[in-house]
């Protein structure tokens, strides 16, 4: 796995609707779930075990960032989340 590509980020930015029913991780074709990494950056649809964009960075960085319970202890965490908010 590698860091997200420019093409993947641009794909996510195409979706203007923030969230759609059922308003959770299961909804497809919305900017929130694509950016969070729950949806394919190729199709816009939810697939099991998809980890893209936001989630992908956590996995690639690894260490404390790769573990949900310790990610906020990593020095890069605030920078990463600031960038996600910026996008």
């Amino acid at each position: 796995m590698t860091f997200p590509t420019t093409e993947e980020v641009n794909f996510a930015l195409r979706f203007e609707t923030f969230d759609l029913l059922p308003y959770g991780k299961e909804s497809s074709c919305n900017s929130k779930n694509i950016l969070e990494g729950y949806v394919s950056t190729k199709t816009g649809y939810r697939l099991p075990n998809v980890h893209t964009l936001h989630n992908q960075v956590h996995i690639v960085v690894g260490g404390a960032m790769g573990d949900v319970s310790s990610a906020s202890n990593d020095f890069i965490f605030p920078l990463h989340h600031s960038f996600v908010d910026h996008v």
Side-chain angles (χ1 to χ4, degrees):
M1 185 175 281
T2 62
F3 287 106
T5 64
T6 302
E7 292 79 20
E8 290 173 312
V9 173
N10 287 336
F11 180 83
L13 293 174
R14 290 178 33 207
F15 293 84
E16 295 180 3
T17 303
F18 180 72
D19 203 0
L20 295 168
L21 288 171
Y23 303 118
K25 295 179 186 178
E26 292 75 31
S27 60
S28 297
C29 297
N30 65 75
S31 62
K32 179 190 77 161
N33 284 345
I34 293 172
L35 183 59
E36 280 297 319
Y38 302 126
V39 176
S40 169
T41 52
K42 299 199 182 337
T43 64
Y45 289 94
R46 172 99 164 120
L47 297 171
N49 300 317
V50 169
H51 302 289
T52 58
L53 298 180
H54 163 260
N55 293 339
Q56 187 175 348
V57 172
H58 279 277
I59 293 167
V60 172
V61 171
M65 273 284 280
D67 180 31
V68 173
S69 64
S70 65
S72 63
N73 295 327
D74 198 307
F75 291 107
I76 195 91
F77 182 87
L79 295 173
H80 169 52
H81 279 260
S82 294
F83 184 73
V84 170
D85 290 346
H86 171 73
V87 172

